[in-house]
Amino acid sequence: PAVDRVAKPRQEGDIAERVWAQVVALKPGKLRDTLDEAVVSLGATGVLEQVIVPLLHRMGDGWESGELSVAEEHAASAVIKEFLFLGSRPFAATAGAPGLVVATPTGQLHELGAAMVASSARRLGWNVTYLGASLPAEEIARAVLRSHALAVALSIVYPGDDPEMSDELRRLRRFLPEGMAIFV
């Protein structure tokens, strides 16, 4: 019968393997298509938690082991960032929505953690000001003050490898209003 021919949704493990193969093969178009398909079967949060976060860990391991080139990592990161932002675009903040500034501090070039936070916050109704990677404390604080944000979210990768990070975070705290929440 026709019912037997209906395609079953792909399992998340299958999706994870497909996206990894597309990253390694440097196929950003196919990666984009697979992520779009995954939203239908897993939902936006499911894709984030079950596909993207594990993929980022695998990409880090692959880069470290030499299995993944810088070009492959950058291409996949660009697709993932675009996917996150386009997927959260329909969730426009309403008037009076709380403000959140999202960035990575000086020296932190990996911004996908920040992109995930910004996308998730938009879906939850926050008015997000996304600043991107490697901003000095003064610039983050300036954006907070200008946007009247209630909080700051920072994405930091390998803080132990950055001897200046503690000082940078202390500087940011000094520049922000007392009681301002900083999520790292």
Side-chain angles (χ1 to χ4, degrees), residues 20-57:
W20 177 247
Q22 292 156 358
V23 168
V24 172
L26 195 60
K27 302 220 178 268
K30 292 218 181 267
L31 175 60
R32 187 176 301 109
D33 292 346
T34 302
L35 291 174
D36 287 342
E37 288 172 27
V39 170
V40 175
S41 60
L42 300 175
T45 303
V47 171
L48 184 63
E49 294 174 355
Q50 299 169 29
V51 179
I52 293 177
V53 170
L55 176 62
L56 295 180
H57 288 289

Side-chain angles (χ1 to χ4, degrees), residues 101 139-152 176-177 180:
V101 171
E139 294 300 323
I140 296 170
R142 180 182 172 110
V144 167
L145 297 174
R146 287 205 165 182
S147 68
H148 306 286
L150 294 180
V152 177
L176 293 175
M180 168 73 58

Side-chain angles (χ1 to χ4, degrees), residues 101 137-145 149-154 168-183:
V101 171
E138 298 86 354
E139 294 300 323
I140 296 170
R142 180 182 172 110
V144 167
L145 297 174
L150 294 180
V152 177
L154 302 174
E168 189 70 7
L169 292 176
R170 279 195 273 291
R171 288 178 55 239
L172 178 59
R173 171 48 71 206
R174 251 192 349 261
F175 296 141
L176 293 175
E178 191 173 323
M180 168 73 58
I182 302 174
F183 301 103

Side-chain angles (χ1 to χ4, degrees), residues 16-183:
E17 288 307 314
R18 286 174 55 211
V19 297
W20 177 247
Q22 292 156 358
V23 168
V24 172
L26 195 60
K27 302 220 178 268
K30 292 218 181 267
L31 175 60
R32 187 176 301 109
D33 292 346
T34 302
L35 291 174
D36 287 342
E37 288 172 27
V39 170
V40 175
S41 60
L42 300 175
T45 303
V47 171
L48 184 63
E49 294 174 355
Q50 299 169 29
V51 179
I52 293 177
V53 170
L55 176 62
L56 295 180
H57 288 289
R58 194 166 180 185
M59 286 169 52
D61 293 343
W63 184 83
E64 198 171 296
S65 72
E67 181 182 4
L68 196 65
S69 73
V70 173
E72 293 156 351
E73 185 267 332
H74 280 227
S77 294
V79 169
I80 292 165
K81 184 176 160 188
E82 175 188 31
F83 172 82
L84 291 167
F85 285 137
L86 287 177
S88 65
R89 191 171 184 191
F91 296 89
T94 58
L100 178 68
V101 171
V102 181
T104 75
T106 296
Q108 295 291 309
L109 302 176
H110 296 282
E111 65 178 307
L112 284 179
M116 288 188 289
V117 168
S119 174
S120 295
R122 281 187 184 131
R123 289 177 186 281
L124 294 171
W126 285 78
N127 182 11
V128 175
T129 301
Y130 183 78
L131 302 179
S134 193
L135 269 84
E138 298 86 354
E139 294 300 323
I140 296 170
R142 180 182 172 110
V144 167
L145 297 174
R146 287 205 165 182
S147 68
H148 306 286
L150 294 180
V152 177
L154 302 174
S155 179
I156 300 172
V157 179
Y158 305 120
D161 291 348
D162 188 346
E164 306 298 320
M165 185 52 58
S166 294
D167 290 339
E168 189 70 7
L169 292 176
R170 279 195 273 291
R171 288 178 55 239
L172 178 59
R173 171 48 71 206
R174 251 192 349 261
F175 296 141
L176 293 175
E178 191 173 323
M180 168 73 58
I182 302 174
F183 301 103

